[in-house]
Amino acid sequence: MSTDDRIERAREIYERAVFGGDTSALIDAEEDLDAVEADVALARGLILHARFQSAPADAGSLPAEDPAELPLFERALELYRALGDTRGEAEALFWIGCLHQLMRRDNETAVPYLERSCRLAAQTADKPTRSEALRHLGIAAHAAGRLDEARERLEESSRLRREVGALPGVASNMIGLAYIAAAQDRRADALATLDEAHAIARAHGAHAIARHIEQARTQI
């Protein structure tokens, strides 16, 4: 059911209750609106996250976190969980974990959210969310020096992204795989991986990813 349908249904249920005395569907209307609120909260959080990722960083520091972002994701999680929407719960968990990892550099807090997200996404066959959770679990493993685990996580994330046609995401993962290869003294593999990633990014107009690829090439 679309957002418009849920809102229109709530209006119809209101009229039946007020004019006809039929209050039997009020709970249904409230749940419909909770679902709308959850979707909006998640979407607003994503917009704030995009602003963070797109903002220029000060020298040696990250852009400032918008204090509204985490409460939006937490509200979405609360609502999805109450509604029994496991797919939505997995997505909200991922974004909470992602925020702690990327914005706050706190993998200790992030990883349990990411692991729970990964499990729930697998249960609901949500490949996009599972691929995201695996990617960021790979990032955490890389940061902890567990390079084989990091590589495995990123390769599985890439497999899922290929299955759903998210090829710019594959190119993004390949940057991480190149850094892992370099850390394992496989420099030729690292550069070849970046060449393949650049071809994918260029073919799909992923200009931001292409810039990250060039940064990685310079560092490697």
Side-chain angles (χ1 to χ4, degrees):
M1 185 182 296
S2 71
T3 296
D4 287 347
D5 289 341
R6 286 183 170 122
I7 293 173
E8 183 58 31
R9 183 177 182 227
R11 292 181 181 276
E12 292 170 356
I13 289 170
Y14 158 80
E15 290 181 359
R16 291 206 305 269
V18 171
F19 301 123
D22 179 5
T23 61
S24 61
L26 289 176
I27 292 176
D28 292 339
E30 289 172 341
E31 290 181 349
D32 282 346
L33 295 178
D34 283 345
V36 171
E37 183 183 347
D39 290 347
V40 170
L42 189 70
R44 285 191 181 278
L46 291 178
I47 295 302
L48 295 181
H49 194 79
R51 290 186 190 280
F52 171 85
Q53 289 192 308
S54 302
D58 295 331
S61 65
L62 292 170
E65 174 187 337
D66 190 313
E69 183 175 337
L70 182 58
L72 285 167
F73 291 141
E74 290 176 334
R75 178 58 175 161
L77 175 61
E78 176 189 3
L79 290 167
Y80 285 133
R81 189 170 280 163
L83 291 164
D85 184 343
T86 304
R87 191 183 186 97
E89 183 180 348
E91 190 173 3
L93 283 165
F94 164 72
W95 285 109
I96 293 171
C98 181
L99 184 150
H100 283 289
Q101 183 182 67
L102 294 186
M103 293 185 176
R104 301 185 177 182
R105 294 294 192 259
D106 182 1
N107 276 318
E108 184 177 355
T109 299
V111 165
Y113 285 105
L114 297 171
E115 289 176 337
R116 176 68 174 160
S117 170
C118 194
R119 288 194 297 270
L120 293 183
Q123 289 176 20
T124 57
D126 182 355
K127 292 180 181 180
T129 296
R130 186 162 177 251
S131 75
E132 292 281 6
L134 284 165
R135 167 182 166 78
H136 287 265
L137 287 169
I139 291 171
H142 190 181
R146 301 191 302 273
L147 299 182
D148 288 339
E149 178 187 338
R151 181 179 181 182
E152 180 182 340
R153 299 282 197 180
L154 286 174
E155 287 177 344
E156 178 64 7
S157 173
S158 294
R159 183 186 68 79
L160 292 170
R161 286 180 168 185
R162 288 185 188 277
E163 287 184 3
V164 300
L167 293 182
V170 172
S172 182
N173 278 352
M174 293 174 80
I175 300 171
L177 288 167
Y179 279 120
I180 292 168
Q184 294 177 325
D185 296 323
R186 295 184 290 111
R187 188 172 184 275
D189 289 344
L191 294 176
T193 298
L194 291 177
D195 288 342
E196 183 180 354
H198 187 267
I200 294 172
R202 182 174 57 187
H204 292 83
H207 304 299
I209 292 173
R211 289 194 295 272
H212 291 308
I213 292 168
E214 292 311 310
Q215 291 171 3
R217 197 189 307 278
T218 299
Q219 292 184 31
I220 291 172

